[in-house]
Amino acid sequence: RPYLLAGAGAFHVRERATLAVGAQRETSVAGATRVGVGAGAGLETRLGARLHLRLEGRYLRIPAPGADDGLVPITVGVRY
């Protein structure tokens, strides 16, 4: 049986910056909480009387300064 997913959430993001001047390097790490959005779809099928297999794919976007990337996690699961 197919299903759809949609939502928003809070994500903790760690950002790292390295500054190199001559032979010296300085690295700073900062953390921030960002709001992200996601959408996806999945399929669940019965494998037995109480056993189900689930496959879903989502697109997650967490906006950050200087980055315009998204994530596409694919999940396989078993429900008993």
Side-chain angles (χ1 to χ4, degrees):
R1 122 186 125 183
Y3 58 91
L4 297 174
L5 304 164
F11 296 87
H12 183 74
V13 179
R14 293 185 73 191
E15 300 165 344
R16 176 182 289 175
T18 302
L19 176 64
V21 178
Q24 285 189 318
R25 291 187 141 186
E26 187 174 320
T27 301
S28 65
V29 177
T33 300
R34 307 236 185 256
V35 175
V37 295
L43 180 66
E44 184 173 279
T45 185
R46 185 184 302 259
L47 295 178
R50 298 185 67 186
L51 190 64
H52 296 80
L53 177 68
R54 180 172 62 199
L55 173 67
E56 72 182 38
R58 290 177 281 158
Y59 175 74
L60 297 175
R61 183 157 190 278
I62 308 164
D68 195 22
D69 296 334
L71 303 170
V72 182
I74 297 174
T75 306
V76 177
V78 175
R79 182 169 62 101
Y80 179 75

